[in-house]
Each structure stands twice: as structure tokens, then as C-alpha cells.
Amino acid sequence: MASVRVVLLGPPGAGKGTQAKLLRERFEACQISTGDILRKAVADKTPLGTEAERYLNRGELVPDDVIVGLVGERLQQKDCAEGFVLDGFPRTLPQAESLEDILKAMALPLDRVLSIQVPHQIIVQRLAGRRNCQECGTLYHMNFDPPRNGETCDRCNGRLQQRDDDREETITTRLRVYESQTAPLVNYYRQRGNLREIDGVGKVEDIQKRIIDALGRPAN
Ligand code: AP5
């Protein structure tokens, strides 16, 4: 059965989480979304969550050693054995180097690194309109993919919420942090020959098709 080992790179709001979920469903792969893992830890008030919360609220990056340990452990779990979609990791050069070491030790080469590109103005629209269900986590956009009932989830009727870091001032910090710390990874992976650039503007399903084409392998 076809599977994937892929990294999704891209600025906040590029659609990494949206596309990662579709890839996970299409291929036999686990989805590792570091932002989701950290937000859950904050909500559950775990020691990781207590440490991470101040970084998330400010739109800054959690220290590399914390996040590398977390991803390294997650990759060892059974559901990642056939493949993985990394969404939100790596985000710094040290994280990329650590990932290379981890995958080398596991004898699992990366298939592709997909850099999803979306203009600044569209990013701001996407983040401002994003809502997710407090109960089941389903993602919506109030303009592009609105819930049928206004403010409740179509699936479970749970209340929708806006992420704390989708406030205007935090969005500005997150975009600045992306440009200074994460954007250099595009060149890092380009030099390694496994980067593909994906136009992230358009319908969700059209972008997924571009991604599948860039992976160069049939879906299940
Ligand atoms: P994280 O949760 O990873 O946030 P992010 O990278 O800023 O990305 P987002 O989740 O905001 O956007 P996305 O690209 O997933 O877009 P989405 O699919 O939701 O990280 C949050 C924080 O955690 C960081 O700031 C940091 O503090 C910490 N952290 C995480 N990883 C870390 C790491 N490795 N190292 C250190 N710290 C780390 O889409 C956005 C909206 O647009 C949605 O409403 C969606 O419905 C809509 N949408 C998506 N696609 C389309 C489309 N094609 N057309 C119209 N609308 C669309």
C-alpha cells in the first residue's frame, strides 16, 4: 500500500493542517501536528503545556529541545511505522538537522518536503476567519468553509472557538517568526533536492491534487 513520509512547510494559515489531515486520510500515515500537540498539552495543563503556553500566546517558537524530543517520541509510535505527515515541524534549522538524525537512525528517508505558498493578504484572511470546534476539533472558516448553523459544529453541535494566537498582534509576530526562523528551511531542503513548491491558493481539493502530483505516487 502506498504511503508517504512528508514535511509540510509554510507560513501560518497556509493550509498545512487542512492538507495534512487529507493526506493522513488518503495514505496510511500518521499526522504529527506540533501546534495541535502543544495546544492539547496547554488545555490538559500538563508540564509540557505549562512550559509551552507562554510561547504560544506570544506567537513565538517553543525551544527546539522540547519540540525535538516530542516529535522523536511520536515518530516511534506504531501508527507512524508506515508513514507520516509532519505539519509544523521542523521550523528552525536545528530542528531540521535533528529530524535528519532521527530519520537516519530509523532508516526512514523523507520522500518530499512541500512548501505551501500563499500571499500575505490571503493568510491574514484565513487566520482571521478560522474557527474550530471545542469538542471535536473540526476546522472551519467563517467565509470559505462556514458551519451550517452559524456558530456551532456541523458534526457534533459543539461550540466553535477562535485560537488565542489568531489575534491580530500575535499573527504579526507569527509571520515575522516564520520569515526569520522557518523560511530559511526552504533553501535548506532545496539544496537536498527533495523540496517541491506548492501554490496554496485555490480550493482545498485543488491544492490537495497539486500535493498528490508533487508526491509523484498513486493514492490508495
Ligand atoms: P501551529 O499550530 O503549527 O500554527 P501555524 O504554523 O502558525 O499554522 P496554522 O495552524 O495557523 O495554519 P495552517 O497552515 O495549519 O492552516 P490551516 O489549515 O489551519 O503552531 C502554533 C504555535 O505552536 C506556534 O506559534 C509555536 O508557538 C508552537 N509551535 C508549533 N510547532 C512548533 C515547532 N516545531 N517549534 C516550535 N514551536 C512550535 O488553515 C487556516 C484557515 O484557512 C482555516 O480556517 C482553514 O479552514 C482555511 N483554509 C485552509 N485552506 C484553505 C483554502 N484553500 N481556501 C480557503 N480557506 C482555506
Side-chain angles (χ1 to χ4, degrees), residues 11-18 34-35 38-39 55-56 59-62 67 88-89 91 95 126-127 130 139-141 144 163 165 174 202-204 207:
K16 302 181 297 296
T18 302
T34 43
L38 293 170
R39 278 185 291 278
Y55 296 101
L56 266 83
E60 293 169 359
L61 297 182
V62 170
I67 209 87
F89 179 92
R91 256 173 145 105
Q95 290 182 19
R126 285 190 186 172
L127 294 178
R130 173 166 55 190
L139 190 61
Y140 295 92
H141 191 283
F144 306 134
R163 264 169 54 173
D165 62 351
R174 288 163 61 203
K203 290 185 187 161
V204 168
I207 298 162

mmCIF file of all heavy atoms in Angstrom, residues 11-18 34-35 38-39 55-56 59-62 67 88-89 91 95 126-127 130 139-141 144 163 165 174 202-204 207, ligand 1:
data_model
loop_
_atom_site.group_PDB
_atom_site.id
_atom_site.type_symbol
_atom_site.label_atom_id
_atom_site.label_comp_id
_atom_site.label_asym_id
_atom_site.label_seq_id
_atom_site.Cartn_x
_atom_site.Cartn_y
_atom_site.Cartn_z
ATOM 1 N N PRO A 11 3.868 29.242 5.846
ATOM 2 C CA PRO A 11 3.578 30.221 6.891
ATOM 3 C C PRO A 11 2.292 29.882 7.636
ATOM 4 O O PRO A 11 1.508 29.035 7.176
ATOM 5 C CB PRO A 11 3.429 31.531 6.102
ATOM 6 C CG PRO A 11 3.129 31.123 4.708
ATOM 7 C CD PRO A 11 3.782 29.799 4.499
ATOM 8 N N PRO A 12 2.034 30.543 8.766
ATOM 9 C CA PRO A 12 0.764 30.365 9.465
ATOM 10 C C PRO A 12 -0.386 30.579 8.494
ATOM 11 O O PRO A 12 -0.352 31.514 7.686
ATOM 12 C CB PRO A 12 0.772 31.494 10.509
ATOM 13 C CG PRO A 12 2.197 31.843 10.697
ATOM 14 C CD PRO A 12 2.895 31.544 9.401
ATOM 15 N N GLY A 13 -1.393 29.726 8.542
ATOM 16 C CA GLY A 13 -2.567 29.902 7.697
ATOM 17 C C GLY A 13 -2.390 29.441 6.268
ATOM 18 O O GLY A 13 -3.298 29.585 5.441
ATOM 19 N N ALA A 14 -1.256 28.830 5.940
ATOM 20 C CA ALA A 14 -1.030 28.380 4.557
ATOM 21 C C ALA A 14 -1.934 27.205 4.196
ATOM 22 O O ALA A 14 -2.117 26.903 3.019
ATOM 23 C CB ALA A 14 0.434 27.989 4.367
ATOM 24 N N GLY A 15 -2.471 26.538 5.221
ATOM 25 C CA GLY A 15 -3.320 25.369 4.967
ATOM 26 C C GLY A 15 -2.617 24.063 5.273
ATOM 27 O O GLY A 15 -3.062 22.994 4.838
ATOM 28 N N LYS A 16 -1.553 24.111 6.064
ATOM 29 C CA LYS A 16 -0.795 22.889 6.382
ATOM 30 C C LYS A 16 -1.679 21.873 7.108
ATOM 31 O O LYS A 16 -1.700 20.698 6.752
ATOM 32 C CB LYS A 16 0.424 23.229 7.273
ATOM 33 C CG LYS A 16 1.384 24.223 6.659
ATOM 34 C CD LYS A 16 2.570 24.502 7.563
ATOM 35 C CE LYS A 16 2.231 25.137 8.892
ATOM 36 N NZ LYS A 16 1.644 26.497 8.807
ATOM 37 N N GLY A 17 -2.401 22.351 8.130
ATOM 38 C CA GLY A 17 -3.246 21.427 8.907
ATOM 39 C C GLY A 17 -4.354 20.840 8.043
ATOM 40 O O GLY A 17 -4.641 19.637 8.105
ATOM 41 N N THR A 18 -4.969 21.673 7.221
ATOM 42 C CA THR A 18 -6.051 21.228 6.335
ATOM 43 C C THR A 18 -5.536 20.148 5.386
ATOM 44 O O THR A 18 -6.153 19.092 5.217
ATOM 45 C CB THR A 18 -6.560 22.442 5.507
ATOM 46 O OG1 THR A 18 -6.997 23.456 6.414
ATOM 47 C CG2 THR A 18 -7.676 22.057 4.568
ATOM 48 N N THR A 34 2.537 19.639 15.357
ATOM 49 C CA THR A 34 3.122 20.045 16.642
ATOM 50 C C THR A 34 2.275 21.120 17.335
ATOM 51 O O THR A 34 2.144 21.109 18.561
ATOM 52 C CB THR A 34 4.577 20.529 16.456
ATOM 53 O OG1 THR A 34 4.665 21.349 15.297
ATOM 54 C CG2 THR A 34 5.521 19.362 16.325
ATOM 55 N N GLY A 35 1.661 22.006 16.560
ATOM 56 C CA GLY A 35 0.794 23.025 17.169
ATOM 57 C C GLY A 35 -0.371 22.373 17.905
ATOM 58 O O GLY A 35 -0.708 22.763 19.029
ATOM 59 N N LEU A 38 0.827 20.750 21.111
ATOM 60 C CA LEU A 38 1.120 21.749 22.154
ATOM 61 C C LEU A 38 -0.173 22.349 22.716
ATOM 62 O O LEU A 38 -0.301 22.522 23.932
ATOM 63 C CB LEU A 38 2.015 22.856 21.583
ATOM 64 C CG LEU A 38 3.426 22.416 21.199
ATOM 65 C CD1 LEU A 38 4.135 23.523 20.409
ATOM 66 C CD2 LEU A 38 4.251 22.062 22.431
ATOM 67 N N ARG A 39 -1.144 22.644 21.836
ATOM 68 C CA ARG A 39 -2.409 23.218 22.334
ATOM 69 C C ARG A 39 -3.131 22.237 23.245
ATOM 70 O O ARG A 39 -3.738 22.618 24.237
ATOM 71 C CB ARG A 39 -3.305 23.646 21.161
ATOM 72 C CG ARG A 39 -2.945 25.014 20.580
ATOM 73 C CD ARG A 39 -3.918 25.468 19.517
ATOM 74 N NE ARG A 39 -3.810 24.646 18.325
ATOM 75 C CZ ARG A 39 -2.889 24.810 17.378
ATOM 76 N NH1 ARG A 39 -2.008 25.778 17.482
ATOM 77 N NH2 ARG A 39 -2.848 24.015 16.330
ATOM 78 N N TYR A 55 4.895 30.709 25.128
ATOM 79 C CA TYR A 55 5.408 30.868 23.758
ATOM 80 C C TYR A 55 4.239 30.935 22.771
ATOM 81 O O TYR A 55 4.216 31.780 21.883
ATOM 82 C CB TYR A 55 6.321 29.694 23.390
ATOM 83 C CG TYR A 55 7.569 29.614 24.233
ATOM 84 C CD1 TYR A 55 7.654 28.707 25.275
ATOM 85 C CD2 TYR A 55 8.644 30.466 23.993
ATOM 86 C CE1 TYR A 55 8.797 28.636 26.065
ATOM 87 C CE2 TYR A 55 9.783 30.405 24.780
ATOM 88 C CZ TYR A 55 9.857 29.481 25.806
ATOM 89 O OH TYR A 55 10.990 29.419 26.582
ATOM 90 N N LEU A 56 3.283 30.010 22.931
ATOM 91 C CA LEU A 56 2.141 30.002 22.020
ATOM 92 C C LEU A 56 1.398 31.331 22.078
ATOM 93 O O LEU A 56 1.043 31.896 21.045
ATOM 94 C CB LEU A 56 1.182 28.847 22.374
ATOM 95 C CG LEU A 56 1.420 27.565 21.593
ATOM 96 C CD1 LEU A 56 2.526 26.741 22.209
ATOM 97 C CD2 LEU A 56 0.167 26.737 21.509
ATOM 98 N N GLY A 59 3.099 33.924 20.193
ATOM 99 C CA GLY A 59 3.358 33.644 18.777
ATOM 100 C C GLY A 59 4.817 33.310 18.518
ATOM 101 O O GLY A 59 5.285 33.361 17.375
ATOM 102 N N GLU A 60 5.538 32.966 19.581
ATOM 103 C CA GLU A 60 6.965 32.625 19.426
ATOM 104 C C GLU A 60 7.144 31.108 19.430
ATOM 105 O O GLU A 60 6.242 30.369 19.807
ATOM 106 C CB GLU A 60 7.766 33.256 20.579
ATOM 107 C CG GLU A 60 7.752 34.776 20.486
ATOM 108 C CD GLU A 60 8.302 35.440 21.733
ATOM 109 O OE1 GLU A 60 8.671 34.727 22.682
ATOM 110 O OE2 GLU A 60 8.334 36.679 21.745
ATOM 111 N N LEU A 61 8.332 30.655 19.052
ATOM 112 C CA LEU A 61 8.579 29.221 18.973
ATOM 113 C C LEU A 61 8.967 28.635 20.322
ATOM 114 O O LEU A 61 9.747 29.232 21.077
ATOM 115 C CB LEU A 61 9.692 28.924 17.952
ATOM 116 C CG LEU A 61 9.389 29.311 16.504
ATOM 117 C CD1 LEU A 61 10.557 28.912 15.595
ATOM 118 C CD2 LEU A 61 8.094 28.675 16.011
ATOM 119 N N VAL A 62 8.435 27.470 20.588
ATOM 120 C CA VAL A 62 8.812 26.690 21.771
ATOM 121 C C VAL A 62 10.272 26.247 21.559
ATOM 122 O O VAL A 62 10.677 25.989 20.411
ATOM 123 C CB VAL A 62 7.847 25.485 21.881
ATOM 124 C CG1 VAL A 62 8.280 24.488 22.921
ATOM 125 C CG2 VAL A 62 6.429 25.987 22.153
ATOM 126 N N ILE A 67 10.655 20.501 21.552
ATOM 127 C CA ILE A 67 9.844 20.045 20.409
ATOM 128 C C ILE A 67 10.510 18.838 19.719
ATOM 129 O O ILE A 67 9.830 17.917 19.267
ATOM 130 C CB ILE A 67 9.605 21.239 19.454
ATOM 131 C CG1 ILE A 67 8.297 21.066 18.723
ATOM 132 C CG2 ILE A 67 10.686 21.506 18.504
ATOM 133 C CD1 ILE A 67 7.153 21.608 19.474
ATOM 134 N N GLY A 88 4.092 21.521 10.723
ATOM 135 C CA GLY A 88 4.545 22.474 11.745
ATOM 136 C C GLY A 88 5.900 22.108 12.331
ATOM 137 O O GLY A 88 6.373 22.759 13.250
ATOM 138 N N PHE A 89 6.511 21.089 11.819
ATOM 139 C CA PHE A 89 7.847 20.660 12.243
ATOM 140 C C PHE A 89 8.560 20.101 11.031
ATOM 141 O O PHE A 89 7.952 19.328 10.277
ATOM 142 C CB PHE A 89 7.748 19.583 13.331
ATOM 143 C CG PHE A 89 9.102 19.091 13.796
ATOM 144 C CD1 PHE A 89 9.732 19.688 14.874
ATOM 145 C CD2 PHE A 89 9.751 18.050 13.134
ATOM 146 C CE1 PHE A 89 10.984 19.245 15.293
ATOM 147 C CE2 PHE A 89 10.995 17.612 13.549
ATOM 148 C CZ PHE A 89 11.611 18.213 14.629
ATOM 149 N N ARG A 91 10.795 23.675 12.145
ATOM 150 C CA ARG A 91 10.536 25.103 11.999
ATOM 151 C C ARG A 91 11.789 25.942 12.163
ATOM 152 O O ARG A 91 11.734 27.171 12.054
ATOM 153 C CB ARG A 91 9.560 25.519 13.098
ATOM 154 C CG ARG A 91 8.151 25.732 12.619
ATOM 155 C CD ARG A 91 7.337 25.949 13.855
ATOM 156 N NE ARG A 91 6.298 26.889 13.644
ATOM 157 C CZ ARG A 91 5.024 26.527 13.515
ATOM 158 N NH1 ARG A 91 4.674 25.269 13.525
ATOM 159 N NH2 ARG A 91 4.109 27.442 13.374
ATOM 160 N N GLN A 95 16.083 22.196 14.268
ATOM 161 C CA GLN A 95 15.033 21.162 14.232
ATOM 162 C C GLN A 95 15.171 20.306 12.973
ATOM 163 O O GLN A 95 15.001 19.079 13.009
ATOM 164 C CB GLN A 95 13.636 21.792 14.265
ATOM 165 C CG GLN A 95 13.262 22.420 15.603
ATOM 166 C CD GLN A 95 11.847 22.984 15.624
ATOM 167 O OE1 GLN A 95 10.998 22.647 14.805
ATOM 168 N NE2 GLN A 95 11.575 23.863 16.590
ATOM 169 N N ARG A 126 -7.387 34.155 6.055
ATOM 170 C CA ARG A 126 -7.611 32.772 6.520
ATOM 171 C C ARG A 126 -7.530 32.680 8.036
ATOM 172 O O ARG A 126 -8.338 32.003 8.665
ATOM 173 C CB ARG A 126 -6.586 31.827 5.888
ATOM 174 C CG ARG A 126 -6.891 31.543 4.429
ATOM 175 C CD ARG A 126 -6.012 30.421 3.937
ATOM 176 N NE ARG A 126 -6.179 30.211 2.503
ATOM 177 C CZ ARG A 126 -5.426 29.400 1.789
ATOM 178 N NH1 ARG A 126 -4.456 28.732 2.363
ATOM 179 N NH2 ARG A 126 -5.651 29.240 0.493
ATOM 180 N N LEU A 127 -6.547 33.366 8.619
ATOM 181 C CA LEU A 127 -6.383 33.260 10.075
ATOM 182 C C LEU A 127 -7.509 33.992 10.807
ATOM 183 O O LEU A 127 -8.002 33.511 11.824
ATOM 184 C CB LEU A 127 -5.013 33.808 10.496
ATOM 185 C CG LEU A 127 -3.812 33.003 10.001
ATOM 186 C CD1 LEU A 127 -2.512 33.671 10.435
ATOM 187 C CD2 LEU A 127 -3.856 31.574 10.512
ATOM 188 N N ARG A 130 -10.652 31.793 10.834
ATOM 189 C CA ARG A 130 -10.581 30.394 11.280
ATOM 190 C C ARG A 130 -11.313 30.182 12.608
ATOM 191 O O ARG A 130 -11.192 30.962 13.533
ATOM 192 C CB ARG A 130 -9.111 29.988 11.459
ATOM 193 C CG ARG A 130 -8.986 28.606 12.088
ATOM 194 C CD ARG A 130 -7.622 28.037 11.985
ATOM 195 N NE ARG A 130 -6.593 28.898 12.536
ATOM 196 C CZ ARG A 130 -5.290 28.671 12.376
ATOM 197 N NH1 ARG A 130 -4.880 27.627 11.677
ATOM 198 N NH2 ARG A 130 -4.409 29.480 12.908
ATOM 199 N N LEU A 139 -12.269 21.814 11.852
ATOM 200 C CA LEU A 139 -11.814 23.144 11.446
ATOM 201 C C LEU A 139 -12.811 23.778 10.472
ATOM 202 O O LEU A 139 -13.327 23.109 9.579
ATOM 203 C CB LEU A 139 -10.459 22.955 10.746
ATOM 204 C CG LEU A 139 -9.618 24.158 10.399
ATOM 205 C CD1 LEU A 139 -9.232 24.938 11.652
ATOM 206 C CD2 LEU A 139 -8.365 23.681 9.656
ATOM 207 N N TYR A 140 -13.076 25.077 10.661
ATOM 208 C CA TYR A 140 -13.956 25.823 9.749
ATOM 209 C C TYR A 140 -13.287 27.134 9.361
ATOM 210 O O TYR A 140 -12.338 27.565 10.009
ATOM 211 C CB TYR A 140 -15.291 26.166 10.448
ATOM 212 C CG TYR A 140 -16.114 24.952 10.792
ATOM 213 C CD1 TYR A 140 -15.994 24.335 12.041
ATOM 214 C CD2 TYR A 140 -17.003 24.405 9.875
ATOM 215 C CE1 TYR A 140 -16.732 23.215 12.360
ATOM 216 C CE2 TYR A 140 -17.753 23.281 10.187
ATOM 217 C CZ TYR A 140 -17.610 22.695 11.426
ATOM 218 O OH TYR A 140 -18.347 21.578 11.732
ATOM 219 N N HIS A 141 -13.852 27.743 8.336
ATOM 220 C CA HIS A 141 -13.522 29.135 8.053
ATOM 221 C C HIS A 141 -14.843 29.865 7.857
ATOM 222 O O HIS A 141 -15.701 29.386 7.114
ATOM 223 C CB HIS A 141 -12.644 29.263 6.807
ATOM 224 C CG HIS A 141 -12.099 30.654 6.675
ATOM 225 N ND1 HIS A 141 -12.859 31.707 6.224
ATOM 226 C CD2 HIS A 141 -10.884 31.175 6.997
ATOM 227 C CE1 HIS A 141 -12.133 32.808 6.247
ATOM 228 N NE2 HIS A 141 -10.936 32.516 6.718
ATOM 229 N N PHE A 144 -14.920 30.896 4.005
ATOM 230 C CA PHE A 144 -14.588 29.933 2.940
ATOM 231 C C PHE A 144 -15.168 28.541 3.190
ATOM 232 O O PHE A 144 -15.340 27.764 2.251
ATOM 233 C CB PHE A 144 -13.067 29.817 2.793
ATOM 234 C CG PHE A 144 -12.385 31.144 2.583
ATOM 235 C CD1 PHE A 144 -11.242 31.482 3.300
ATOM 236 C CD2 PHE A 144 -12.889 32.072 1.672
ATOM 237 C CE1 PHE A 144 -10.622 32.709 3.119
ATOM 238 C CE2 PHE A 144 -12.272 33.298 1.487
ATOM 239 C CZ PHE A 144 -11.139 33.624 2.219
ATOM 240 N N ARG A 163 -8.759 30.538 17.886
ATOM 241 C CA ARG A 163 -7.494 30.298 18.581
ATOM 242 C C ARG A 163 -6.978 31.584 19.199
ATOM 243 O O ARG A 163 -7.067 32.648 18.595
ATOM 244 C CB ARG A 163 -6.456 29.756 17.578
ATOM 245 C CG ARG A 163 -6.365 28.251 17.598
ATOM 246 C CD ARG A 163 -5.567 27.689 16.483
ATOM 247 N NE ARG A 163 -4.220 28.220 16.329
ATOM 248 C CZ ARG A 163 -3.327 27.732 15.459
ATOM 249 N NH1 ARG A 163 -3.664 26.691 14.693
ATOM 250 N NH2 ARG A 163 -2.133 28.249 15.349
ATOM 251 N N ASP A 165 -4.027 32.545 19.484
ATOM 252 C CA ASP A 165 -2.933 33.173 18.722
ATOM 253 C C ASP A 165 -3.391 33.679 17.349
ATOM 254 O O ASP A 165 -2.565 34.095 16.545
ATOM 255 C CB ASP A 165 -1.716 32.237 18.605
ATOM 256 C CG ASP A 165 -2.011 30.946 17.869
ATOM 257 O OD1 ASP A 165 -3.201 30.676 17.578
ATOM 258 O OD2 ASP A 165 -1.062 30.205 17.566
ATOM 259 N N ARG A 174 3.772 35.925 14.575
ATOM 260 C CA ARG A 174 3.951 34.587 13.976
ATOM 261 C C ARG A 174 4.498 34.707 12.561
ATOM 262 O O ARG A 174 5.363 33.918 12.146
ATOM 263 C CB ARG A 174 2.623 33.832 13.987
ATOM 264 C CG ARG A 174 2.230 33.387 15.394
ATOM 265 C CD ARG A 174 0.769 33.017 15.487
ATOM 266 N NE ARG A 174 0.405 31.913 14.616
ATOM 267 C CZ ARG A 174 -0.829 31.698 14.182
ATOM 268 N NH1 ARG A 174 -1.817 32.507 14.512
ATOM 269 N NH2 ARG A 174 -1.077 30.669 13.415
ATOM 270 N N GLY A 202 -6.396 28.689 -3.836
ATOM 271 C CA GLY A 202 -7.415 27.967 -4.605
ATOM 272 C C GLY A 202 -8.224 27.091 -3.677
ATOM 273 O O GLY A 202 -8.166 27.230 -2.458
ATOM 274 N N LYS A 203 -9.006 26.190 -4.301
ATOM 275 C CA LYS A 203 -9.862 25.324 -3.490
ATOM 276 C C LYS A 203 -9.015 24.275 -2.775
ATOM 277 O O LYS A 203 -8.008 23.803 -3.325
ATOM 278 C CB LYS A 203 -10.865 24.602 -4.392
ATOM 279 C CG LYS A 203 -11.923 25.491 -4.974
ATOM 280 C CD LYS A 203 -12.905 24.611 -5.731
ATOM 281 C CE LYS A 203 -13.897 25.461 -6.477
ATOM 282 N NZ LYS A 203 -14.568 24.719 -7.539
ATOM 283 N N VAL A 204 -9.477 23.868 -1.597
ATOM 284 C CA VAL A 204 -8.745 22.882 -0.793
ATOM 285 C C VAL A 204 -8.444 21.628 -1.618
ATOM 286 O O VAL A 204 -7.319 21.114 -1.623
ATOM 287 C CB VAL A 204 -9.569 22.520 0.471
ATOM 288 C CG1 VAL A 204 -8.996 21.309 1.187
ATOM 289 C CG2 VAL A 204 -9.631 23.719 1.414
ATOM 290 N N ILE A 207 -5.695 22.099 -4.225
ATOM 291 C CA ILE A 207 -4.355 22.139 -3.618
ATOM 292 C C ILE A 207 -3.919 20.718 -3.251
ATOM 293 O O ILE A 207 -2.767 20.332 -3.474
ATOM 294 C CB ILE A 207 -4.357 23.081 -2.394
ATOM 295 C CG1 ILE A 207 -4.696 24.505 -2.856
ATOM 296 C CG2 ILE A 207 -3.006 23.051 -1.680
ATOM 297 C CD1 ILE A 207 -5.144 25.439 -1.775
HETATM 298 P P1 AP5 B 1 0.784 25.786 14.516
HETATM 299 O O1 AP5 B 1 -0.481 25.286 15.090
HETATM 300 O O2 AP5 B 1 1.648 24.858 13.749
HETATM 301 O O3 AP5 B 1 0.446 27.093 13.696
HETATM 302 P P2 AP5 B 1 0.973 27.671 12.305
HETATM 303 O O4 AP5 B 1 2.170 27.092 11.692
HETATM 304 O O5 AP5 B 1 1.032 29.136 12.594
HETATM 305 O O6 AP5 B 1 -0.078 27.227 11.313
HETATM 306 P P3 AP5 B 1 -1.612 27.343 11.458
HETATM 307 O O7 AP5 B 1 -2.138 26.186 12.246
HETATM 308 O O8 AP5 B 1 -2.002 28.727 11.938
HETATM 309 O O9 AP5 B 1 -2.080 27.298 9.955
HETATM 310 P P4 AP5 B 1 -2.146 26.125 8.903
HETATM 311 O O10 AP5 B 1 -1.086 26.334 7.873
HETATM 312 O O11 AP5 B 1 -2.196 24.780 9.571
HETATM 313 O O12 AP5 B 1 -3.539 26.473 8.236
HETATM 314 P P5 AP5 B 1 -4.976 25.791 8.423
HETATM 315 O O13 AP5 B 1 -5.036 24.515 7.676
HETATM 316 O O14 AP5 B 1 -5.367 25.792 9.870
HETATM 317 O O15 AP5 B 1 1.720 26.385 15.676
HETATM 318 C C1 AP5 B 1 1.178 27.213 16.687
HETATM 319 C C2 AP5 B 1 2.267 27.574 17.682
HETATM 320 O O16 AP5 B 1 2.804 26.375 18.291
HETATM 321 C C3 AP5 B 1 3.497 28.289 17.131
HETATM 322 O O17 AP5 B 1 3.293 29.675 17.015
HETATM 323 C C4 AP5 B 1 4.563 27.924 18.177
HETATM 324 O O18 AP5 B 1 4.394 28.704 19.346
HETATM 325 C C5 AP5 B 1 4.205 26.493 18.521
HETATM 326 N N1 AP5 B 1 4.905 25.510 17.684
HETATM 327 C C6 AP5 B 1 4.318 24.629 16.808
HETATM 328 N N2 AP5 B 1 5.241 23.888 16.192
HETATM 329 C C7 AP5 B 1 6.435 24.290 16.676
HETATM 330 C C8 AP5 B 1 7.775 23.904 16.407
HETATM 331 N N3 AP5 B 1 8.075 22.951 15.500
HETATM 332 N N4 AP5 B 1 8.774 24.532 17.066
HETATM 333 C C9 AP5 B 1 8.500 25.475 17.995
HETATM 334 N N5 AP5 B 1 7.266 25.893 18.290
HETATM 335 C C10 AP5 B 1 6.231 25.302 17.625
HETATM 336 O O19 AP5 B 1 -5.874 26.857 7.628
HETATM 337 C C11 AP5 B 1 -6.120 28.158 8.159
HETATM 338 C C12 AP5 B 1 -7.580 28.573 7.861
HETATM 339 O O20 AP5 B 1 -7.751 28.685 6.456
HETATM 340 C C13 AP5 B 1 -8.643 27.531 8.322
HETATM 341 O O21 AP5 B 1 -9.790 28.210 8.769
HETATM 342 C C14 AP5 B 1 -8.966 26.743 7.057
HETATM 343 O O22 AP5 B 1 -10.281 26.244 7.071
HETATM 344 C C15 AP5 B 1 -8.760 27.795 5.964
HETATM 345 N N6 AP5 B 1 -8.259 27.234 4.715
HETATM 346 C C16 AP5 B 1 -7.299 26.283 4.550
HETATM 347 N N7 AP5 B 1 -7.081 26.059 3.242
HETATM 348 C C17 AP5 B 1 -7.907 26.911 2.565
HETATM 349 C C18 AP5 B 1 -8.160 27.163 1.176
HETATM 350 N N8 AP5 B 1 -7.500 26.504 0.223
HETATM 351 N N9 AP5 B 1 -9.067 28.103 0.845
HETATM 352 C C19 AP5 B 1 -9.747 28.782 1.815
HETATM 353 N N10 AP5 B 1 -9.577 28.580 3.144
HETATM 354 C C20 AP5 B 1 -8.661 27.660 3.499
#
